[in-house]
Amino acid sequence: MIVVLSKGISGHDKEMVRIYLKDRGFAIREQRFGEDAIIGASGKGVVDVRELGLLPGVERVAATSKPFELASRETRAEDTIVMVGNVKIGGSRITVIAGPCAVESEDQIMETAACVRESGAVMLRGGAYKPRTSPYAFQGLGMRGLEFMKAAGEQYGMPIVTEVVSPETAVQMKDLTDMFQIGARNMQNFELLKKAGSLGKPVLLKRGPSATIEEWLLSAEYLLASGTRDVVLCERGIRTFETYTRNTLDISAIPVIKSLSHLPVIVDPSHAVGIRAKVSAAALAAIAAGADGLTVEVHPRPDEALSDGPQSLYPEQFEKLMRDVEALSPVVGKELLRTPRPHHHAVFGTGPGIGAAADAAFFDAGAPVAFSGESGAYAEQALMRAFGDDAARVQTDGFKPVFDAVLDGSASAGVVPVENSLAGSVHENYDLFLRYPDIAIVGELKLRIVHCLIADERADIDSISVIRSHPQGFAQCREFLDKHPAWILEPYNNTATAVASIVRDGAVKVAAIAGEAAARAHGLRVLKEGIETNPLNYTRFVIIARRVGDKAPVPPSLGSLKPTKASLVFSVPDEPGSLFACLKIMSERGINLSKLESRPIQGKPWEYLFYVDVSMPDSAEVFDGVIAELKTKTREFHFLGAYRAAV
Ligand code: PEP
Ligand code: MN
């Protein structure tokens, strides 16, 4: 049975609840889940649940039907999001952990960390203590290996996870690792679980090869009852009669766990399948089934690996897997987390003349990047993903000042939205591109928009009477707002500005619709997360920079990668076949169109501009030829830039 306590319960009332339960024969444990304080009561005691529910400070009593109470969804309806360093696991994101099976040397872990990070992994894995089936197999480098791992994690900005095999070593390892892994063979080593759960670190709990889902959740319960709230479950295949694969990946465990428990669940396809060539397929199946992430074995030279070489991916295979996971994530309403790459700014062609610009140059790291809005704005989120969380920023009030800041050099780049998947193109920014021919698009990124209802600490949903947001925020949360017809809607220029206004006014009866980051930035509380009607809500941001000749700096995450896409804006003569003639030029050269939109030209009734996004062919000469030919067929022609996805 679980007793959920009210937020502001007094020490006295809490003590009364404890005494009430103890007197009736229950063993009790107290636990916090984010905002909620919970008392778990177990044993043969008998209680009148209604009477217990009426005690002062008791919000709700849940008579859980499951033996794993703290891990149960009945105790906590929302998904738990586990923080490991600055990386989140759970909720609407896919988190990928990658690295070798074992730490073999300082060079090996550094090299692997560099390559998995380059492909976008956000956490580093690697065993320093290896529980091997054979006593003669490589047992790991122990503490020395962990020190190498810590150094690699720090060097590449990735929190680390490593296996702990005994309660004694857990204590020694505590300050060196960001997360403990409990291996499959130790899933029911209860002394180890109790110790690992008490050290205040997140724990990745692998499923035992012969453990039922209930046994696995009871092991998670040990961890939670020992004091940690940060437990991530990891399905890694179970022992079945099948011997072709190393284990049998229990895909159905993922949706089962999702309904039984609030804890995040990730999948280890490497140990499940055991055969390199089959690992990626299993990984994608896991994401499709609702897993919150993956932990994947990758080795720079798997043939030389000291353990699990046959199931370790080559770096190129991992790169391909990450791209596939990125493409699949929106299908299941999630977004792949990616580590921003280190700060170096390359200068790249935004051409016509792309071919000549392939010799990337670099300029000043740490130069500020401009965005419009208050801190916590979606544009700032996009900026942080492309340039890193600690990138220097220039905040402006409106999009034009972003273009101005980039043009006059007070910002080295800017981030502006150009399109939302529900609301369409942001015409204001397209217009600005035409007015600022010296500004080019140098990168793009798509951000999933998750709207939250945000208010003061003291507010709750019933005390709210006014809602502030950008009109798009209202439009995108229509179904939720329709359930509260009495609320008054006040439009603001920007969602994060609406959040800031609550703090400025000290308002308690006002809530804002904006992203979770805006709540964090302004010290407010999220009353409800994910209130947008359609969860497939994405905004496409572009990164802009000033052209110098036919070049412009590109965002750090791109290094010297070649552009894959270009954006054009043109108008055509008012005569039959004029648009067709342009499209034909592209079609004949095998250039794919990913966007074609027309919009009226301001001040010229019945004349239209076309917004066109095209794929870049391999040959720069072919592309330059296409641009030259298009210019002869169009009336007005603007080349906004050649670029690729920045994250
Ligand atoms: C590992 O992750 O390297 C490992 C030993 O996994 P498992 O405990 O799932 O076998
Ligand atoms: Mn392994």
Side-chain angles (χ1 to χ4, degrees):
M1 180 175 60
I2 294 290
V3 183
V4 180
L5 304 175
S6 319
K7 300 246 168 347
I9 187 171
S10 67
H12 172 264
D13 288 347
K14 197 193 282 182
E15 194 48 34
M16 294 314 285
V17 177
R18 297 171 70 97
I19 292 171
Y20 181 94
L21 290 167
K22 277 191 179 156
D23 284 352
R24 284 160 183 79
F26 287 97
I28 59 174
R29 296 173 313 279
E30 213 178 307
Q31 174 72 294
R32 289 198 77 82
F33 278 119
E35 300 277 291
D36 296 333
I38 282 166
I39 292 182
S42 54
K44 295 204 173 64
V46 186
V47 73
D48 179 339
V49 172
R50 280 168 308 172
E51 186 180 276
L52 175 58
L54 290 174
L55 291 186
V58 172
E59 189 171 295
R60 168 167 75 80
V61 180
T64 55
S65 53
K66 306 289 183 307
F68 43 86
E69 294 177 343
L70 298 172
S72 169
R73 263 275 176 223
E74 292 173 18
T75 308
R76 182 178 157 83
E78 314 93 85
D79 289 336
T80 284
I81 294 174
V82 168
M83 286 294 291
V84 187
N86 58 358
V87 170
K88 286 182 177 170
I89 307 180
S92 59
R93 55 190 67 71
I94 302 287
T95 307
V96 178
I97 306 170
C101 178
V103 183
E104 298 166 4
S105 67
E106 186 166 12
D107 287 351
Q108 173 250 15
I109 189 72
M110 283 288 175
E111 188 182 352
T112 316
C115 85
V116 298
R117 186 185 200 281
E118 189 62 32
S119 297
V122 287
M123 277 183 65
L124 181 65
R125 61 147 288 145
Y129 292 91
K130 295 303 303 174
R132 303 302 298 280
T133 307
S134 161
Y136 307 118
F138 175 60
Q139 303 285 313
L141 298 181
M143 289 305 282
R144 199 161 59 93
L146 184 50
E147 268 156 27
F148 295 155
M149 243 197 115
K150 180 170 158 56
E154 276 167 8
Q155 167 100 15
Y156 293 98
M158 288 187 283
I160 61 171
V161 54
T162 193
E163 180 160 354
V164 57
V165 291
S166 75
E168 301 73 46
T169 39
V171 179
Q172 291 171 31
M173 290 164 77
K174 178 174 163 275
D175 295 330
L176 294 174
T177 189
D178 300 294
M179 183 181 214
F180 285 124
Q181 173 172 319
I182 304 281
R185 290 155 197 81
N186 270 319
M187 188 204 85
Q188 285 187 314
N189 181 339
F190 300 118
E191 291 311 308
L192 178 60
L193 294 173
K194 284 192 245 173
K195 191 66 189 178
S198 71
L199 294 175
K201 291 266 160 182
V203 183
L204 181 66
L205 178 66
K206 297 192 107 181
R207 180 178 183 182
S210 309
T212 63
I213 289 175
E214 185 165 307
E215 285 163 344
W216 184 17
L217 286 171
L218 277 164
S219 289
E221 190 78 10
Y222 261 95
L223 292 166
L224 295 169
S226 311
T228 183
R229 70 169 282 283
D230 295 320
V231 176
V232 177
L233 299 162
C234 178
E235 160 63 39
R236 44 78 73 202
I238 49 174
R239 182 68 63 93
T240 68
F241 55 82
E242 180 55 69
T243 54
Y244 187 87
T245 50
R246 184 172 175 181
N247 289 287
T248 298
L249 178 59
D250 185 5
I251 285 281
S252 37
I254 303 162
V256 171
I257 290 285
K258 285 269 153 211
S259 63
L260 289 179
S261 177
H262 53 85
L263 296 173
V265 56
I266 70 166
V267 165
D268 171 351
S270 311
H271 292 87
V273 178
I275 308 164
R276 184 184 306 132
K278 318 275 188 287
V279 164
S280 296
L284 293 172
I287 298 301
D292 296 300
L294 299 169
T295 172
V296 185
E297 286 184 345
V298 180
H299 196 289
R301 285 166 300 281
D303 304 336
E304 295 169 20
L306 297 182
S307 74
D308 285 348
Q311 69 193 31
S312 300
L313 296 186
Y314 285 101
E316 313 81 77
Q317 288 178 306
F318 180 64
E319 167 74 23
K320 164 83 168 56
L321 172 62
M322 287 298 280
R323 287 171 182 277
D324 291 346
V325 170
E326 185 160 25
L328 178 59
S329 303
V331 178
V332 285
K334 293 184 182 157
E335 186 175 11
L336 176 68
L337 268 190
R338 272 181 171 275
T339 303
R341 272 100 171 188
H343 282 216
H344 50 71
H345 298 226
V347 173
F348 218 112
T350 60
I354 300 291
D359 49 337
F362 297 92
F363 83 105
D364 220 13
V369 184
F371 72 99
S372 165
E374 299 270 347
S375 41
Y378 290 112
E380 189 185 41
Q381 291 298 106
L383 184 160
M384 283 155 67
R385 263 182 46 198
F387 292 88
D389 288 359
D390 52 357
R393 290 157 227 184
V394 177
Q395 274 172 247
T396 69
D397 184 14
F399 299 133
K400 184 173 176 296
V402 174
F403 280 72
D404 287 331
V406 175
L407 194 65
D408 71 20
S410 50
S412 63
V415 176
V416 292
V418 288
E419 192 172 353
N420 175 268
S421 58
L422 303 179
S425 292
V426 182
H427 295 302
E428 183 181 348
N429 282 323
Y430 273 96
D431 289 342
L432 285 164
F433 280 116
L434 306 191
R435 284 170 57 194
Y436 288 75
D438 286 340
I439 301 277
I441 299 178
V442 296
E444 72 165 351
L445 64 159
K446 296 187 184 96
L447 192 76
R448 173 144 183 238
I449 304 297
V450 179
H451 287 308
C452 302
L453 190 69
I454 295 165
D456 187 272
E457 270 298 324
R458 293 160 290 171
D460 64 46
I461 217 153
D462 300 323
S463 65
I464 298 296
S465 55
V466 173
I467 310 287
R468 296 176 180 167
S469 190
H470 187 277
Q472 278 297 336
F474 296 139
Q476 292 172 9
C477 301
R478 193 72 267 161
E479 273 183 20
F480 173 74
L481 291 172
D482 283 348
K483 290 186 199 140
H484 302 273
W487 284 351
I488 298 160
L489 307 185
E490 291 183 359
Y492 272 69
N493 273 343
N494 176 289
T495 53
T497 313
V499 175
S501 78
I502 295 180
V503 181
R504 196 193 51 227
D505 301 349
V508 181
K509 294 190 170 164
V510 181
I513 293 177
E516 184 206 353
R520 249 185 290 121
H522 298 281
L524 295 183
R525 192 153 78 91
V526 171
L527 294 183
K528 198 159 169 54
E529 193 180 3
I531 56 170
E532 66 280 7
T533 307
N534 185 341
L536 296 181
N537 183 359
Y538 292 85
T539 295
R540 202 177 131 223
F541 288 88
V542 291
I543 297 162
I544 60 173
R546 186 178 172 165
R547 293 185 214 258
V548 181
D550 66 357
K551 297 184 182 179
V554 300
S557 49
L558 293 183
S560 48
L561 297 171
K562 276 174 74 176
T564 52
K565 190 171 174 183
S567 291
L568 323 169
V569 176
F570 56 72
S571 62
V572 292
D574 184 15
E575 60 195 34
S578 57
L579 176 62
F580 175 74
C582 294
L583 300 183
K584 186 161 168 272
I585 295 168
M586 295 188 263
S587 150
E588 282 172 351
R589 308 300 198 295
I591 290 181
N592 188 41
L593 259 64
S594 54
K595 172 171 179 161
L596 174 63
E597 182 178 339
S598 68
R599 75 165 282 226
I601 301 178
Q602 283 179 352
K604 295 186 186 170
W606 322 123
E607 287 190 38
Y608 297 87
L609 277 177
F610 294 96
Y611 298 164
V612 181
D613 287 350
V614 298
S615 65
M616 294 288 288
D618 284 341
S619 152
E621 288 69 40
V622 168
F623 187 70
D624 292 350
V626 167
I627 298 296
E629 236 186 292
L630 278 175
K631 284 184 176 167
T632 68
K633 303 278 182 211
T634 49
R635 206 174 249 173
E636 212 180 309
F637 185 91
H638 306 269
F639 189 90
L640 304 192
Y643 53 92
R644 63 188 290 149
V647 279

